């Protein structure tokens, strides 16, 4: 238990569906991250929020839409996804977004059919 | 852009064996992380180091800045050590981590 929770843990959705992934951190951190982990590839950074403002949008398609309503919660809204978007989506948090250690959640396993 | 290479990609060991996983990177860094990912997905940070050596229980991490190389050692390996071990590096004082592809370790009883 790292203090970062993600829901749901597993999600199957069709290409026309709209769904959201949720991340919550209980560590008092002020920076949160979304990562994508595809099979046999390194983790890829998608988005970074610091003090609820987006500081990184790493060339992610617009079908992924992040939202950070406060420093404890982070959402990833999904719509019209493609099968190649099937992956493990990991949330992380840290205190500041410079040099401090990141704490990861358990991930959401997403399958797009 | 920093390239991070891990070796081996897969490693199978017998319980009790001494394990070494290697990580090499191409550009100067401010910190290197070793992470552990169990089946099911969750990632746990094992070490963050910028020089020398750190030890936690049966795990030891070393880094050689001049050679741009780090090793993760596991002494007296156990089946519960079976996981993917990921090396990640940070260049400069920013949040971006560059990740290796990971090493899948299987420890058989």
């Amino acid at each position: 238990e790292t203090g970062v929770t993600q829901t749901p843990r597993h999600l199957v959705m069709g290409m026309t569906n709209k769904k959201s992934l949720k991340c919550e951190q209980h560590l008092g951190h002020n920076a949160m991250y979304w990562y994508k982990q595809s099979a046999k590839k390194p983790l890829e950074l998608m988005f970074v929020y610091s003090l609820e403002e987006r500081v990184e949008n790493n060339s992610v398609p617009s079908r992924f839409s992040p939202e950070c309503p406060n420093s404890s919660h982070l959402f990833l809204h999904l719509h019209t996804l493609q099968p190649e978007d099937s992956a493990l989506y990991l949330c992380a948090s840290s205190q500041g977004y410079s040099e401090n250690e990141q704490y990861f959640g358990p991930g959401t396993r997403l399958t797009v059919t | 852009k920093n390239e991070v290479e891990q070796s081996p990609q897969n490693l199978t060991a017998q319980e009790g064996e001494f394990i070494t996983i290697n990580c090499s990177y191409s550009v100067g860094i401010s910190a290197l992380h070793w992470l552990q990912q169990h089946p099911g997905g969750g990632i746990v940070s094992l070490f963050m180091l910028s020089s020398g050596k750190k030890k936690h229980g049966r795990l030891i991490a070393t880094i050689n800045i001049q050679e741009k190389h780090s090793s993760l050692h596991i002494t007296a390996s156990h089946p519960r050590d079976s996981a993917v071990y990921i090396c990640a590096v940070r260049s400069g004082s920013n949040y971006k981590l560059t990740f290796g592809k990971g090493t899948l370790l299987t420890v058989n009883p």
Side-chain angles (χ1 to χ4, degrees), chain A:
Chain A
E1 181 64 46
T2 63
V4 181
T5 58
Q6 290 187 241
T7 54
R9 296 292 309 276
H10 300 271
L11 178 62
V12 179
M13 59 186 289
M15 289 191 284
T16 58
N17 291 158
K18 288 185 180 181
K19 296 285 185 184
S20 295
L21 310 184
K22 178 183 176 183
C23 174
E24 184 173 358
Q25 59 94 3
H26 311 273
L27 301 168
H29 291 164
N30 56 17
M32 297 187 78
Y33 311 74
W34 278 117
Y35 288 94
K36 176 183 178 182
Q37 188 180 35
S38 304
K40 309 229 185 269
K41 292 176 69 174
L43 272 78
E44 303 170 60
L45 179 65
M46 300 176 72
F47 301 104
V48 181
Y49 277 81
S50 175
L51 298 171
E52 301 147 44
E53 288 196 17
R54 193 189 308 177
V55 297
E56 175 78 21
N57 177 356
N58 205 22
S59 302
V60 179
S62 59
R63 55 186 184 269
F64 295 91
S65 174
E67 178 190 0
C68 187
N70 56 62
S71 58
S72 299
H73 294 86
L74 184 65
F75 295 90
L76 188 63
H77 304 298
L78 316 171
H79 64 96
T80 59
L81 294 192
Q82 304 298 311
E84 60 264 28
D85 297 321
S86 298
L88 181 70
Y89 289 85
L90 289 151
C91 172
S93 71
S94 66
Q95 184 54 35
Y97 66 92
S98 59
E99 301 179 347
N100 291 320
E101 194 170 348
Q102 293 178 24
Y103 292 77
F104 287 82
T108 295
R109 176 70 62 187
L110 173 67
T111 303
V112 181
T113 60

